[in-house]
Amino acid sequence: EVLLVESGGGLVQPGGSLRLSCAASGFIFSTSGMGWLRQAPGSEIELVSCITTEVSTTWYPDSVKGRFTISRDNVRNIVYLELNNLKIEDTAMYFCAKAPGEWCPTVNSIRGQGTQVTVSS
């Protein structure tokens, strides 16, 4: 059974940073693309980062590019999301997601229970 467990969320002031972690189990982690989704209240869920397998190609939407960094540890089966220069509009529930293949997950991919990120002064 695929299990994705996120951690690291919290309350942070604008301009602050957080590091999210996702511990994965139940599948061959090194052969799966991984990513992070987020959903703000009243908004649709969106993909905010992904990382592929072998060469670890990454992707970000313009809204977070230059501020968020995704990485993976294929030995410990963990995927990270570094969030820097956080903005109020980054407030959302963040979910770790597993792609069906080696590329990026979609908003319909398997995901964990989420970790809340709240950016507020």
Side-chain angles (χ1 to χ4, degrees):
E1 178 187 1
V2 173
L3 187 61
L4 303 169
V5 180
E6 303 94 336
S7 61
L11 174 64
V12 63
Q13 292 185 338
S17 298
L18 285 172
R19 188 193 198 201
L20 308 183
S21 299
C22 170
S25 62
F27 62 100
I28 303 174
F29 181 79
S30 61
T31 63
S32 291
M34 299 295 296
W36 289 88
L37 310 171
R38 72 181 180 186
Q39 186 168 30
S43 299
E44 294 185 352
I45 195 165
E46 60 174 337
L47 181 67
V48 293
S49 66
C50 78
I51 185 166
T52 61
T53 55
E54 294 297 328
V55 296
S56 294
T57 301
T58 59
W59 174 90
Y60 309 91
D62 289 343
S63 58
V64 308
K65 193 175 294 182
R67 301 188 297 119
F68 290 10
T69 303
I70 189 171
S71 61
R72 63 190 298 159
D73 183 335
N74 287 341
V75 174
R76 299 174 65 197
N77 290 2
I78 299 175
V79 59
Y80 301 98
L81 185 66
E82 191 84 27
L83 292 73
N84 295 309
N85 191 22
L86 281 161
K87 304 177 180 181
I88 291 176
E89 53 264 39
D90 293 319
T91 294
M93 184 70 79
Y94 284 71
F95 302 91
C96 174
K98 172 194 174 302
E102 65 182 15
W103 297 104
C104 288
T106 70
V107 296
N108 297 311
S109 293
I110 295 172
R111 60 180 184 260
Q113 293 298 305
T115 185
Q116 178 68 38
V117 172
T118 302
V119 185
S120 175
S121 55

